[in-house]
């Protein structure tokens, strides 16, 4: 008998076809997210699930899914999955690293350039008919080129962001839980600094750390105060890494110049004060959202799932201990 698989959100046809060759698939091409009760009911008789960051995979859910062997997340971040609970129940959890580094780095750069040159604000002004002619001191932005870029979190995506900085002839600083190898630092032309130094010296602070209890509100009122008043903050990683209420206050009061945000606390219900501010560029969690990358992410998750259900080790297994159970 083929294993039973739930795919919790709409995916590409090729993803469903591939999973369908290996399992009996229940999809959700209507794409209405399952509430926790519906998810638990649908997963109760399943061997595997392809899930997304909109699905919470935790102990309460797993208790009701005795057959489940694998949860394959279509995302590199996996803060929606309780890894310890999965391991305790012998459920393999996987993510999709690698395939989205470039697209996600591009979006961080789009936010950086957009915030520096006020692109979304100015587009609103053009559309509103406010542009009456050229003026020397009109709607001035700040330069990205030759500025200091501070990257918080030097994993794969942080490194990809750093590589792009060479083209803008920027000075690159970074902070990371552990310092990266010196040859990599050299290749990236990046200098390791403390958190405080990074905040104090950077013109652009880009956050690229995963969300966890340790990184919750990594940037709050105190950290924003440490930044230059001319600096721009970019959050393209996860809501919750920034204290959004503190950021709103900092943007309103000129504590920092601007921000570019792709992720929010309690998204999609973002803090309404952001909508009233001109000095923030807002994007709807689309860091990896290009056609090619989203296809690659979905297929990566599918391959992880199929490998696990076939009794193998999925390429992107997050909790190898789960296999031993
Ligand atoms: C998207 O946010 C991801 O973690 O892949």
């Amino acid at each position: 008998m083929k294993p039973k698989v739930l795919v919790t959100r709409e995916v590409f046809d090729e993803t469903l076809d591939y999973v369908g060759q290996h399992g009996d698939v229940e999809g959700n091409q209507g794409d209405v997210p399952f509430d926790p009760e519906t998810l638990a009911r649908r997963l109760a008789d399943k061997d595997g699930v392809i899930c997304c960051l909109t699905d919470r995979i935790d102990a309460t859910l797993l208790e009701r899914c005795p057959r489940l062997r694998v949860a394959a997340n279509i995302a590199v971040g996996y803060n929606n999955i309780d890894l310890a609970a999965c391991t305790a129940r012998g459920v393999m959890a996987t993510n999709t690293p690698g395939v989205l580094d470039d697209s996600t780095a591009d979006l961080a750069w789009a936010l950086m350039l957009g915030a520096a040159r006020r692109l979304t604000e100015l587009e609103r002004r053009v559309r509103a008919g406010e542009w009456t002619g050229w003026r020397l001191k009109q709607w001035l932005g700040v330069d990205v080129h030759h500025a200091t870029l501070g990257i918080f979190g030097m994993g794969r995506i942080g490194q990809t962001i750093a590589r792009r900085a060479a083209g803008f002839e920027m000075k690159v600083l970074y902070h990371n839980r552990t310092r990266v190898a010196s040859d990599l630092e050299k290749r990236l032309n990046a200098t390791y600094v403390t958190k405080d130094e990074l905040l104090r010296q950077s013109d652009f602070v880009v956050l690229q750390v995963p969300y966890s209890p340790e990184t919750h509100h990594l940037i709050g009122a105190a950290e924003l105060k440490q930044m230059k008043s001319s600096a721009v903050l970019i959050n393209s990683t996860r809501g919750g890494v920034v204290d959004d209420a503190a950021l709103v206050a900092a943007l309103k009061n000129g504590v920092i110049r601007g921000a570019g945000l792709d992720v929010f606390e309690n998204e999609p219900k973002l803090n309404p004060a952001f909508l009233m501010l001109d000095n923030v560029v807002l994007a709807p969690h689309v860091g990896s959202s290009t056609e090619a990358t989203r296809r690659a992410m979905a297929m990566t998750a599918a391959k992880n799932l199929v490998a696990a259900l076939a009794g193998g080790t999925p390429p992107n297994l997050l909790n190898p201990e789960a296999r031993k159970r």
Side-chain angles (χ1 to χ4, degrees):
M1 215 174 64
K2 277 182 168 181
K4 290 185 177 210
V5 174
L6 178 70
V7 182
T8 64
R9 299 296 301 266
E10 183 181 13
V11 290
F12 300 96
D13 289 347
E14 77 252 14
T15 324
L16 275 189
D17 289 348
Y18 176 74
V19 180
Q21 289 163 24
H22 302 272
D24 278 335
V25 186
E26 182 179 322
N28 178 19
Q29 294 298 79
D31 208 30
V32 178
F34 296 137
D35 58 54
E37 175 57 31
T38 310
L39 181 62
R41 261 191 287 110
R42 293 196 182 240
L43 260 189
D45 63 341
K46 301 295 188 295
D47 303 288
V49 59
I50 294 186
C51 52
C52 297
L53 47 87
T54 48
D55 306 304
R56 178 104 202 106
I57 310 290
D58 58 14
T60 315
L61 174 81
L62 295 176
E63 216 143 90
R64 296 175 62 183
C65 314
R67 297 169 55 111
L68 200 68
R69 279 158 37 213
V70 55
N73 218 28
I74 309 183
V76 67
Y78 50 89
N79 55 301
N80 58 308
I81 298 181
D82 182 337
L83 219 51
C86 283
T87 305
R89 300 196 72 97
V91 176
M92 289 181 257
T94 66
N95 67 340
T96 63
V99 293
L100 45 65
D101 298 347
D102 282 301
S103 299
T104 308
D106 284 355
L107 199 272
W109 273 91
L111 291 173
M112 220 188 308
L113 290 160
R117 303 302 295 269
R118 307 167 58 169
L119 274 188
T120 51
E121 173 205 347
L122 297 187
E123 181 180 355
R124 283 192 297 277
R125 293 191 188 281
V126 170
R127 288 181 189 271
E130 289 178 35
W131 184 33
T132 52
W134 188 91
R135 291 196 347 256
L136 186 70
K137 289 167 67 180
Q138 198 170 39
W139 296 321
L140 303 175
V142 287
D143 285 322
V144 173
H145 67 85
H146 297 96
T148 298
L149 169 63
I151 301 175
F152 214 122
M154 201 49 125
R156 272 183 313 265
I157 299 172
Q159 291 168 29
T160 310
I161 292 169
R163 273 196 297 277
R164 283 152 173 66
F168 287 82
E169 300 179 66
M170 297 176 91
K171 175 174 174 183
V172 181
L173 309 177
Y174 81 97
H175 183 73
N176 199 47
R177 246 181 332 188
T178 47
R179 196 170 165 166
V180 303
S182 61
D183 61 324
L184 180 57
E185 276 185 3
K186 247 185 232 135
R187 266 184 282 134
L188 297 172
N189 201 17
T191 305
Y192 180 82
V193 291
T194 63
K195 175 182 172 183
D196 289 349
E197 285 169 329
L198 183 130
L199 292 171
R200 277 201 300 264
Q201 293 176 27
S202 302
D203 299 306
F204 295 87
V205 173
V206 177
L207 304 174
Q208 210 50 69
V209 294
Y211 179 78
S212 69
E214 291 75 48
T215 60
H216 179 74
H217 287 188
L218 178 76
I219 303 295
E223 289 75 17
L224 290 159
K225 232 178 168 164
Q226 283 181 279
M227 290 171 62
K228 296 181 183 179
S229 57
S230 56
V232 170
L233 177 72
I234 305 299
N235 186 9
S236 50
T237 179
R238 274 292 181 277
V241 172
V242 175
D243 177 344
D244 282 354
L247 178 57
V248 163
L251 290 168
K252 263 190 193 159
N253 301 327
V255 175
I256 63 169
R257 177 188 172 88
L261 308 174
D262 187 41
V263 288
F264 305 87
E265 291 189 284
N266 308 316
E267 62 185 51
K269 292 194 188 88
L270 69 170
N271 187 320
F274 280 131
L275 304 178
M276 312 306 290
L277 291 169
D278 269 336
N279 55 345
V280 58
V281 174
L282 305 171
H285 202 148
V286 287
S288 61
S289 189
T290 67
E291 171 100 27
T293 295
R294 286 284 166 90
R295 281 185 191 277
M297 289 166 69
M299 197 49 102
T300 301
K303 289 190 172 156
N304 280 322
L305 173 114
V306 167
L309 292 179
T313 303
N316 308 116
L317 182 58
L318 294 164
N319 56 345
E321 321 82 64
R323 288 209 69 208
K324 300 189 195 113
R325 299 202 149 241

